[in-house]
Amino acid sequence: MEILNQFVEYNKIPRFMFWGYGKGTDGVNYAEPEKAFVDWLYVRGLRQKWPFERICSMMEDMYLTDEDFSLDKVREYIKEIENKDLSSRLLKLFEDALKDVFEKNKNNPFSKIL
């Protein structure tokens, strides 16, 4: 959908994944970057079943650095998911994609935070 000339996409996540958010000064709940990433990985990688190569390509394009993003926090958030089957599938997807991105491009910012 388009709102104020900006494309906005709405996705639902299961209720058991609704945590890792804080209320901003404007009263809106915002996810921490790592939780937003976990939600994105769930929506794109598992629910929408994006091809593995596309997940890796998007991760390459994110240019995240250790100053604003923690891979360890991503791992911890994934492990906190109550559904252990989902948690293990998401963790495997994340680790495999991270390894693929790192091996393809050692200059990618992800490589700095491994």
Side-chain angles (χ1 to χ4, degrees), residues 2-57:
E2 196 170 313
I3 300 174
L4 299 174
N5 296 322
Q6 296 291 319
F7 179 76
V8 177
E9 182 178 329
Y10 176 80
N11 290 287
K12 285 180 76 173
I13 59 172
R15 185 169 284 296
F16 63 80
M17 286 183 66
F18 203 78
W19 44 265
Y21 301 89
K23 196 169 288 279
T25 57
D26 56 3
V28 176
N29 288 334
Y30 294 95
E32 293 182 2
E34 296 84 357
K35 180 58 167 83
F37 180 81
V38 170
D39 293 346
W40 171 82
L41 196 61
Y42 164 75
V43 169
R44 299 297 189 232
L46 296 183
R47 203 176 74 212
Q48 294 181 353
K49 296 181 171 73
W50 275 14
F52 179 73
E53 294 77 21
R54 188 166 181 200
I55 295 287
C56 294
S57 176

Side-chain angles (χ1 to χ4, degrees), residues 38-86:
V38 170
D39 293 346
W40 171 82
L41 196 61
Y42 164 75
V43 169
R44 299 297 189 232
L46 296 183
R47 203 176 74 212
Q48 294 181 353
K49 296 181 171 73
W50 275 14
F52 179 73
E53 294 77 21
R54 188 166 181 200
I55 295 287
C56 294
S57 176
M58 289 295 290
M59 285 175 61
E60 278 185 78
D61 291 343
M62 288 180 184
Y63 297 108
L64 302 168
T65 67
D66 56 352
E67 286 124 30
D68 59 3
F69 194 79
S70 166
L71 293 178
D72 288 335
K73 201 170 193 178
V74 170
R75 288 180 183 100
E76 289 306 311
Y77 275 159
I78 291 173
K79 291 175 184 175
E80 285 181 32
I81 296 171
E82 291 177 14
N83 181 321
K84 294 307 168 195
D85 178 55
L86 174 61

Side-chain angles (χ1 to χ4, degrees), residues 88-103:
S88 64
R89 287 187 296 141
L90 208 52
L91 190 58
K92 178 163 178 31
L93 175 63
F94 173 64
E95 296 293 350
D96 288 351
L98 194 61
K99 182 179 174 190
D100 187 78
V101 168
F102 178 70
E103 287 176 358

